Amino acid sequence: MPISYHEERHFGEFGGQYVPETLLAPLEELTEAYKTFASSEEFQKDFKRIVSEYSGRPTPLTYAQQLSRDLNREIYLKREDLNHTGAHKLNNAIGQILLADRMDKERIIAETGAGQHGVAVATVCAYFDKECIVYMGEKDIKRQSLNVYRMELLGARVEPVKTGARTLKDATSEAIRDWVTNVENTHYLLGSVVGPYPYPDMVRDFQAIIGEETKEQFQTQTGTDPDGLVACIGGGSNAMGLFAPFLDNEEIELFGVEAAGEGIDSGRHSAPLVTSGHGVLHGSKSYLMSDEDGQVQTPHSVAAGLDYPGVGPQLADLKEKGRLQVKAVKDDQVIKGFKYLSALEGIIPALEPAHVFGLLAEEPDWLGDCEQVVINLSGRGDKDVLEVAEYEGRDLLAGGEAE
Ligand SMILES: *Cc1c(COP(=O)(O)O)cnc(C)c1O
């Protein structure tokens, strides 16, 4: 964990703090708290204890036998799907709630897209007995009603956001607005490696437990380091969490997979790194989906967790430097990836990491010379089964084939 992987407020030309003046002091307070508490031995001990006792870490590193045969190389899956609540997001939520507790913040706010981050936040708020308000776009509320109900069961208040595209970007803006007003007693528990400093650093360092475990497990299982690492990229937290402990070794290749949605040319996608526009969104500079007038575009993906027009500044920098290779995958290929891994390995992936499997099923050569590869299986697919069936024209709740 903490503060070990980066010290600056910028990653090359990306990152920074592009925020209204009212947010500078809260960000400074958070930075100070993060540096003081998170690096302390006591904090790290609490973090390790909770991710183990409550979330079930370490998650396994699974050698994927059938997938390896099919792709003609050794493939290992980092099983973040086996975390409590079903995805990697709980790692960050546990880190930040511990920090909020140290800072005596009793009110927690968050934004959510797929609902996975909202569920993670509602979960840790219940566990720490904190008030929890989750901002969520109205459109996401509709397509992720199970997660909304989960959050309510967990004791959170889900606040519908009706502005803009009514998805994650708008929920994030609303959460920032709340934070400015209520900063005294409120911690904003941001869900990915985006936003102003210190969030991209802090979230990465909490998620780096993924890469740290992977490094150790891979050494134990093979006696060496992997030569390729692959992750899907929404905001970028599961990718940065896996990559962080391996960044020093330039020989390890990094692969990121974005959502091409209905196709890059259609404009209906969530692939800022592939489409290469730059801009400022939610407090930091990064790659950003924007049109010729600089207006932020509305993102689209079949995977609600990738439905964000921006991306973490460190990933932007890694791409800019040529260290990170990126491709985007269309929705229909993602559905294939979802079914491909399920049938091949007995693991139903979330639609977000299904992007990786959809791509590799079609283009295994993208991995080049990499012979030993770790794929971050960021979450499980239970939440997506109904949507996939519907995509294929089946209405399971009505009891079979759709019209
Ligand atoms: C939210 C989510 C993602 C995307 O977020 P990152 O910050 O890019 O990791 C990926 N996979 C799953 C399962 C998610 O829930």
Side-chain angles (χ1 to χ4, degrees):
M1 216 201 359
I3 322 184
S4 37
Y5 301 111
H6 191 76
E7 307 266 359
E8 305 288 327
R9 289 172 181 230
H10 296 268
F11 302 95
E13 62 178 291
F14 304 108
Q17 288 180 329
Y18 295 84
V19 296
E21 209 157 322
T22 43
L23 266 186
L24 288 174
L27 287 170
E28 216 46 47
E29 183 194 348
L30 181 61
T31 303
E32 279 314 305
Y34 177 56
K35 286 188 171 169
T36 312
F37 294 120
S39 58
S40 80
E41 224 166 87
E42 202 198 344
F43 184 96
Q44 297 200 32
K45 233 169 85 186
D46 281 351
F47 180 73
K48 288 267 158 71
R49 180 178 57 78
I50 295 169
V51 296
S52 149
E53 286 177 8
Y54 190 60
S55 185
R57 303 202 74 89
T59 59
L61 183 68
T62 304
Y63 177 63
Q65 203 164 317
Q66 324 302 337
L67 192 61
S68 296
R69 191 183 310 140
D70 211 47
L71 301 181
N72 206 17
R73 54 196 94 218
E74 286 177 36
I75 308 284
Y76 293 79
L77 304 174
K78 182 56 173 165
R79 301 293 304 282
E80 293 303 298
D81 59 315
L82 295 179
N83 270 305
H84 180 40
T85 73
H88 66 294
K89 291 197 169 75
L90 200 69
N91 306 325
N92 169 49
I94 289 172
Q96 285 196 50
I97 195 90
L98 256 178
L99 193 61
D101 196 52
R102 297 291 209 273
M103 295 171 77
D104 293 324
K105 308 279 186 190
E106 291 306 321
R107 184 174 175 272
I108 306 296
I109 58 168
E111 82 297 335
T112 197
Q116 288 284 100
H117 174 57
V119 168
V121 174
T123 300
V124 297
C125 284
Y127 188 62
F128 271 79
D129 193 22
K130 306 265 187 208
E131 183 186 354
C132 180
I133 296 126
V134 179
Y135 289 95
M136 188 169 187
E138 220 175 27
K139 189 173 153 198
D140 289 332
I141 287 182
K142 279 213 182 90
R143 58 180 179 173
Q144 299 289 344
S145 55
L146 272 176
N147 275 339
V148 173
Y149 187 56
R150 273 187 198 110
M151 286 184 261
E152 288 169 1
L153 285 175
L154 293 162
R157 196 174 90 222
V158 179
E159 198 63 55
V161 176
K162 300 175 183 175
T163 49
R166 296 169 293 130
T167 60
L168 180 56
K169 167 177 160 294
D170 316 289
T172 307
S173 303
E174 210 52 46
I176 291 173
R177 209 161 299 152
D178 180 317
W179 200 33
V180 172
T181 319
N182 300 300
V183 68
E184 201 75 353
N185 66 343
T186 300
H187 174 66
Y188 176 21
L189 210 164
L190 190 60
S192 192
V193 286
V194 298
Y197 178 84
Y199 284 105
D201 291 55
M202 183 171 72
V203 176
R204 175 207 56 215
D205 290 347
F206 289 139
Q207 290 291 3
I209 192 160
I210 300 171
E212 284 159 7
E213 286 176 8
T214 298
K215 204 169 164 65
E216 202 177 306
Q217 291 165 323
F218 204 88
Q219 278 289 344
T220 305
Q221 292 175 28
T222 70
T224 174
D225 272 342
D227 42 28
L229 303 172
V230 194
C232 65
I233 298 179
S237 69
N238 88 89
M240 280 316 308
L242 176 64
F243 298 165
F246 296 97
L247 286 179
D248 288 346
N249 185 344
E250 295 275 344
E251 284 175 7
I252 298 177
E253 293 192 48
L254 310 178
F255 301 90
V257 183
E258 290 191 319
E262 293 171 9
I264 298 292
D265 294 339
S266 75
R268 300 216 354 116
H269 61 83
S270 294
L273 288 169
V274 165
T275 51
S276 294
H278 292 189
V280 171
L281 178 68
H282 298 142
S284 68
K285 188 173 174 204
S286 188
Y287 278 62
L288 179 65
M289 289 170 57
S290 53
D291 63 21
E292 280 142 30
D293 303 327
Q295 288 294 321
V296 179
Q297 284 177 301
T298 301
H300 165 81
S301 167
V302 68
L306 302 185
D307 208 340
Y308 185 69
V311 64
Q314 190 167 12
L315 286 162
D317 186 46
L318 289 168
K319 159 94 197 293
E320 195 87 350
K321 285 179 182 150
R323 181 74 201 283
L324 173 70
Q325 305 177 52
V326 192
K327 273 190 186 270
V329 185
K330 284 168 72 172
D331 289 347
D332 50 358
Q333 192 61 28
V334 172
I335 302 292
K336 286 186 195 159
F338 182 88
K339 297 168 80 175
Y340 174 71
L341 188 76
S342 302
L344 212 51
E345 292 291 342
I347 300 168
I348 301 176
L351 280 171
E352 291 83 3
H355 280 70
V356 174
F357 303 105
L359 178 66
L360 294 182
E362 203 171 52
E363 284 185 62
D365 290 346
W366 186 44
L367 297 174
D369 295 337
C370 293
E371 282 170 7
Q372 295 183 307
V373 176
V374 175
I375 298 172
N376 198 357
L377 184 46
S378 53
R380 65 174 183 238
D382 305 43
K383 69 181 174 64
D384 300 314
V385 170
L386 277 178
E387 193 178 346
V388 170
E390 195 181 316
Y391 194 91
E392 300 210 300
R394 288 176 62 173
D395 183 352
L396 301 186
L397 294 181
E401 300 293 324
E403 303 282 293

